[in-house]
Amino acid sequence: MKLLIDDARLDEIKKIYEFYPVAGVTTNPTILSKIGGNPFETLKKIREFIGEDAQLHVQAVSRRAEKIVEEAWHIAKLLGTNTYVKIPAVPEGFKAMKILNETSEIPFTATAIYTPMQAFIAGQCGASYAAPYVNRIDNMGFNGLTVAKDIQQIFERNFMETEVIAASFKNSQQVLELCKCGISAATLSPEIFIALVKNFAIDSAVEDFISDFENFAGKDKTMLDFQ
């Protein structure tokens, strides 16, 4: 499972990159609204930091297919290689996906997915990724994990190249459940990223080891002090 950061705050992105293996960054209009200003100023700074080999997902916001396609070209032109244009999985979005699939090599991610059939149609339209909203589906009274797993199964059994990039998590357990079933990617807020390995028992065990070593070797001593 590839892990991406679902955030546009460069300082938070840098913190996660410092400690964890990260495949890229995903954004959406709501995330960018929290930064404000020219969105491309924010996105270009992210692209500069993560480099051209990392994925950057950026959403088109036009309502009509033709305008979505124009946005996709504009986004790809300004942000370069490995930029995935996020397109809502609705009729006008599907139309835009078909146009892009037939006329360009711009990769795109089907977003705002709440049902397996949305993902299936997006896959048939050539989407590189489909992004089910796990926690938002839960909040509607359905099971977001089940929906994500069903989409994964649909892609596999229909020999489709589209991958699942699960989004909208409320806890690390949801990420674990999808990791176990082979979901291709997940995009996580910095808080969920940190929670993946945040555990009192782990911290306590590490502190015990260090304390035991210092008890016989001396305060602040490490293996570097011996040969």
Side-chain angles (χ1 to χ4, degrees):
M1 175 189 277
K2 294 186 287 287
L3 298 176
L4 293 88
I5 306 170
D6 197 29
D7 206 299
R9 295 170 295 172
L10 188 58
D11 56 341
E12 294 297 323
I13 292 170
K14 288 180 177 180
K15 289 177 185 177
I16 299 301
Y17 257 83
E18 182 178 2
F19 297 105
Y20 300 97
V22 182
V25 173
T26 63
T27 64
N28 61 44
T30 301
I31 285 173
L32 289 172
S33 74
K34 296 175 181 178
I35 306 297
N38 181 340
F40 279 106
E41 290 183 3
T42 298
L43 293 165
K44 286 177 180 179
K45 289 177 182 178
I46 294 173
R47 169 56 77 197
E48 182 180 6
F49 173 71
I50 67 177
E52 64 179 17
D53 292 333
Q55 295 182 12
L56 178 58
H57 295 243
V58 180
Q59 188 163 331
V61 296
S62 295
R63 299 182 186 275
R64 307 296 295 180
E66 291 76 13
K67 283 295 184 180
I68 293 172
V69 171
E70 286 185 36
E71 275 195 81
W73 279 99
H74 186 63
I75 290 168
K77 178 182 178 180
L78 291 180
L79 298 174
T81 305
N82 278 326
T83 299
Y84 291 73
V85 179
K86 295 173 68 174
I87 301 174
V90 296
E92 288 292 329
F94 296 138
K95 181 179 178 180
M97 293 177 200
K98 289 175 61 180
I99 294 171
L100 285 172
N101 190 45
E102 293 168 1
T103 63
S104 79
E105 296 183 356
I106 297 173
F108 53 90
T109 296
T111 192
I113 288 181
Y114 289 80
T115 72
M117 285 310 300
Q118 278 181 285
F120 175 71
I121 294 172
Q124 295 283 33
C125 290
S128 299
Y129 288 101
Y133 290 172
V134 176
N135 195 52
R136 292 191 187 188
I137 294 170
D138 281 355
N139 290 337
M140 293 175 62
F142 301 96
N143 191 314
L145 292 176
T146 297
V147 170
K149 292 175 182 178
D150 286 346
I151 293 171
Q152 174 82 359
Q153 189 175 78
I154 286 170
F155 289 163
E156 291 176 352
R157 292 189 176 181
N158 287 276
F159 305 102
M160 300 171 72
E161 295 182 0
T162 309
E163 298 179 85
V164 175
I165 179 168
S168 178
F169 293 97
K170 66 179 179 182
N171 58 55
S172 60
Q173 183 63 31
Q174 292 174 319
V175 182
L176 172 61
E177 289 303 314
L178 295 184
C179 188
K180 289 193 294 185
C181 72
I183 293 292
S184 297
T187 181
L188 318 175
S189 69
E191 294 75 19
I192 297 295
F193 238 112
I194 293 171
L196 293 178
V197 292
K198 186 176 182 179
N199 185 301
F200 174 77
I202 297 171
D203 294 340
S204 178
V206 172
E207 287 302 318
D208 286 345
F209 286 136
I210 295 173
S211 177
D212 288 343
F213 186 87
E214 290 184 337
N215 283 339
F216 77 83
K219 180 69 173 175
D220 296 327
K221 295 293 185 181
T222 71
M223 295 296 286
L224 292 170
D225 295 297
F226 301 89
Q227 60 181 347

